[in-house]
Amino acid sequence: MTLIKSISGIRGTIGGQTGDTLNPLDIVKFTTAYATFISRSEECGVRSENTTADSPCQGNLTPHSTLHTPRKTIVVGRDGRISGLMVRNVVVGTLMGMGYDVIDIGYATTPTTELAVRMAQADGGIIITASHNPRQWNALKLLNSEGEFLTAADGAEVLRIAEAEDFHYAEVDQLGTLTIDDSYNRRHIDAVLGLKLVDVEAIRQRKFRVCADTINSVGGIILPEFFQALGLDYEILNGECTGDFAHNPEPLEKNLHGIMDRMKSGEFDLGIVVDPDVDRLAFICEDGTMFGEEYTLVSVADYVLSGMTSSNSNTSFTTVSNLSSTRALRDVTEKHGGQYHAAAVGEVNVTTKMKEVGAVIGGEGNGGVIYPESHYGRDALVGIALFLSSLAQKGCTVSELRKTFPDYQIAKNRIDLTPDTDVDAILVKVKEMFAKDSSATVNDIDGVKIDFPDRWVHLRKSNTEPIIRVYSEAQTMQQADDLGKQLMQVVYSMQ
């Protein structure tokens, strides 16, 4: 059993002892810390993303300063996990006990919840989802008033408050209220359809037939409605929102043989796969082969940059992805005369970099598309709409579209950690090994990335699992996998 407390939230397996798993007592503690943080940030008169642990507003308010005048509001949404209702009840009750009014939007994707915070002009939001983790996991993802994930400094302050148990609950006359509002799925869909580069008419005219695997989570609720709005003919696999995942929920090729086999029937133009909270997206070609998880962002960025450069010929645009993402985004960006930037792994790191450089699109190679015209969050619905717009306008098949992009192969391996593993010491040694290699460039802003002229390998400790992720890219999968495993052997020799 595992409980992981990090700046991005609290994540763990259900059941077991307090402090070791995700259980009601720890959920109450962390939810209370988050509510306390939001309250103090608001009372300081600053936006939550601008506060830091050194702010004079942190840790010095009187206990009664957590009472709210006017009242504060938090949005709560959840994916389809089996433990979701239990966690939701604890979270909602705790927030009400802190004096917060709660808008419960029910079964909702992560991007839907992010948008709901902004649409409701709420003070924050909590998404109850463990993303791609297996069914026994759940988590609380924490949002600020912009519907964006907390910064590292803000997340660290929430952890400090939780550790100190620096709490004060509302008196009976200040208890919060609960509102149930299931309108936000439709509002999310309408917002996507209204994006300037989403060509709804072209999509409808192509009369696409798609097959989608929604992993028995919230994708099975929102995607059929979304497909209907786009005029698609569709078939849904694993469409019951039960949380009993039909296969490993991470949208990787090794987990997707069911839909890949279904696509080989020749009945569909496109296969679509989402993870349990619908912020990651993978496509499957009409012949049942993978389009490539890494190429979700590449293809969408190419379409966005094409549309923007055609109407702004004298303007240079920028894109951002994380260090573990394919070089193909850099290549496509430069093809359009733009500039590419890399960020540390993690959605908040990517969005921070995107804001810094004014990126028009960005994301992560795990199938996460971030399109600022919509919002600063990974959104599979946005990715689907832009991809279909590109496909419709080009009049080609999915496999033909894939051939238009630079072809790289990424191998994704992992090293399971033991409690005694000193990850930081290992990464320092790896960095030192390659620092004197004239053919390599070493980047240590997030783990260690070793960049060679024709390939790269990136080692970093996961924020969500007790593992070291080892990603490597080359011209062929064999070359990429060999490079990754060479570095894995180096790590094993140091343990």
Side-chain angles (χ1 to χ4, degrees), residues 30 47 79 96 145 149 191 253 280 336 353 369 402 453 458 486:
F30 204 79
R47 297 171 60 82
D79 71 11
M96 293 172 67
S145 60
F149 290 119
E253 180 174 357
R280 289 175 58 177
H336 289 287
K353 190 68 174 180
V369 174
R402 176 62 179 81
H458 186 203
Q486 287 172 16

Side-chain angles (χ1 to χ4, degrees), residues 34 51 53-54 60 91 102 140-141 151 153 160 203 227 247 274 299 305 337 340 343 348 356 387 402 425 453 481:
Y34 166 72
T51 60
D54 296 327
N60 64 356
V91 167
V102 177
L140 308 183
K141 293 184 178 181
T151 64
R160 187 201 67 78
I203 294 170
F227 292 161
H247 52 77
V274 294
S299 60
L305 292 172
Y340 166 78
V348 69
E356 176 188 323
F387 186 86
R402 176 62 179 81
D481 196 49

Side-chain angles (χ1 to χ4, degrees), residues 17-33:
Q17 296 184 340
T18 58
D20 294 331
T21 63
L22 190 66
N23 58 76
L25 287 179
D26 284 312
I27 295 168
V28 168
K29 181 178 178 179
F30 204 79
T31 302
T32 302

Side-chain angles (χ1 to χ4, degrees), residues 29-44:
K29 181 178 178 179
F30 204 79
T31 302
T32 302
Y34 166 72
T36 301
F37 167 78
I38 293 294
S39 178
R40 291 177 178 176
S41 299
E42 292 292 335
E43 289 178 14
C44 287

Side-chain angles (χ1 to χ4, degrees), residues 288-400:
T289 59
M290 289 294 294
F291 186 79
E293 182 187 29
E294 289 286 332
Y295 284 81
T296 298
L297 174 59
V298 174
S299 60
V300 172
D302 180 65
Y303 170 69
V304 169
L305 292 172
S306 296
M308 300 192 78
T309 53
S310 63
S311 57
N312 300 273
S313 57
N314 296 321
T315 304
S316 177
F317 300 103
T318 60
T319 64
V320 174
S321 65
N322 67 42
L323 287 170
S324 285
S325 299
T326 178
R327 282 180 175 175
L329 179 62
R330 179 202 64 184
D331 295 350
V332 164
T333 302
E334 292 176 351
K335 180 190 74 173
H336 289 287
Q339 187 175 11
Y340 166 78
H341 298 269
V345 174
E347 184 171 334
V348 69
N349 297 318
V350 174
T351 57
T352 297
K353 190 68 174 180
M354 289 177 68
K355 293 176 183 179
E356 176 188 323
V357 301
V360 297
I361 191 166
E364 300 180 287
N366 61 10
V369 174
I370 303 172
Y371 188 45
E373 186 185 327
S374 175
H375 63 117
Y376 278 102
R378 299 183 306 191
D379 192 332
L381 270 65
V382 169
I384 292 168
L386 292 173
F387 186 86
L388 287 173
S389 297
S390 176
L391 205 62
Q393 290 183 8
K394 290 180 170 67
C396 62
T397 66
V398 179
S399 58
E400 289 170 344

Side-chain angles (χ1 to χ4, degrees), residues 246-268:
H247 52 77
N248 185 304
E250 191 162 14
L252 303 178
E253 180 174 357
K254 64 183 180 180
N255 302 324
L256 304 178
H257 294 297
I259 186 171
M260 292 174 71
D261 289 343
R262 185 72 184 94
M263 288 295 297
K264 291 175 183 177
S265 69
E267 300 175 34
F268 305 98

Side-chain angles (χ1 to χ4, degrees), residues 413-481:
N413 292 294
R414 56 184 279 172
I415 299 171
D416 293 317
L417 301 177
T418 69
D420 299 326
T421 304
D422 189 341
V423 178
D424 292 335
I426 289 173
L427 294 178
V428 167
K429 290 180 181 178
V430 171
K431 176 184 174 183
E432 292 173 348
M433 286 181 61
F434 289 91
K436 297 179 181 179
D437 186 340
S438 60
S439 67
T441 301
V442 179
N443 187 321
D444 64 353
I445 67 170
D446 183 12
V448 177
K449 182 175 183 178
I450 305 160
D451 221 327
F452 301 98
D454 61 344
R455 65 193 71 187
W456 58 259
V457 60
H458 186 203
L459 289 78
R460 60 175 293 274
K461 184 178 179 180
S462 171
N463 293 326
T464 59
E465 299 177 78
I467 62 173
I468 294 177
R469 297 191 186 278
V470 182
Y471 287 9
S472 48
E473 182 174 67
Q475 293 292 328
T476 69
M477 182 58 74
Q478 186 67 53
Q479 292 171 340
D481 196 49

Side-chain angles (χ1 to χ4, degrees), residues 24-192:
L25 287 179
D26 284 312
I27 295 168
V28 168
K29 181 178 178 179
F30 204 79
T31 302
T32 302
Y34 166 72
T36 301
F37 167 78
I38 293 294
S39 178
R40 291 177 178 176
S41 299
E42 292 292 335
E43 289 178 14
C44 287
V46 295
R47 297 171 60 82
S48 62
E49 64 266 34
N50 292 330
T51 60
T52 70
D54 296 327
S55 168
C57 294
Q58 301 298 336
N60 64 356
L61 299 183
T62 59
H64 292 286
S65 66
T66 55
L67 301 182
H68 313 295
T69 306
R71 302 183 73 88
K72 308 297 184 189
T73 302
I74 299 291
V75 171
V76 176
R78 64 184 175 101
D79 71 11
R81 289 176 181 271
I82 295 169
S83 60
L85 179 59
M86 180 276 287
V87 178
R88 173 267 186 200
N89 288 343
V90 176
V91 167
V92 168
T94 301
L95 291 172
M96 293 172 67
M98 287 293 290
Y100 278 83
D101 293 337
V102 177
I103 300 175
D104 178 8
I105 64 173
Y107 286 124
T109 73
T110 285
T112 303
T113 310
E114 291 169 342
L115 286 169
V117 171
R118 291 171 51 188
M119 291 174 177
Q121 296 183 312
D123 299 281
I126 296 179
I127 308 163
I128 301 169
T129 174
S131 190
H132 64 274
N133 288 85
R135 66 199 290 275
Q136 68 270 27
W137 288 75
N138 215 328
L140 308 183
K141 293 184 178 181
L142 309 177
L143 305 175
N144 61 26
S145 60
E146 292 296 315
E148 300 169 13
F149 290 119
L150 301 186
T151 64
D154 289 347
E157 176 61 12
V158 173
L159 290 176
R160 187 201 67 78
I161 295 170
E163 183 65 25
E165 297 191 5
D166 186 12
F167 309 147
H168 187 88
Y169 292 94
E171 306 294 339
V172 67
D173 291 326
Q174 282 81 39
L175 294 176
T177 63
L178 173 62
T179 300
I180 307 295
D181 188 342
D182 63 359
S183 68
Y184 285 95
N185 279 345
R186 184 67 225 186
R187 294 169 74 174
H188 182 186
I189 291 170
D190 289 342
V192 174

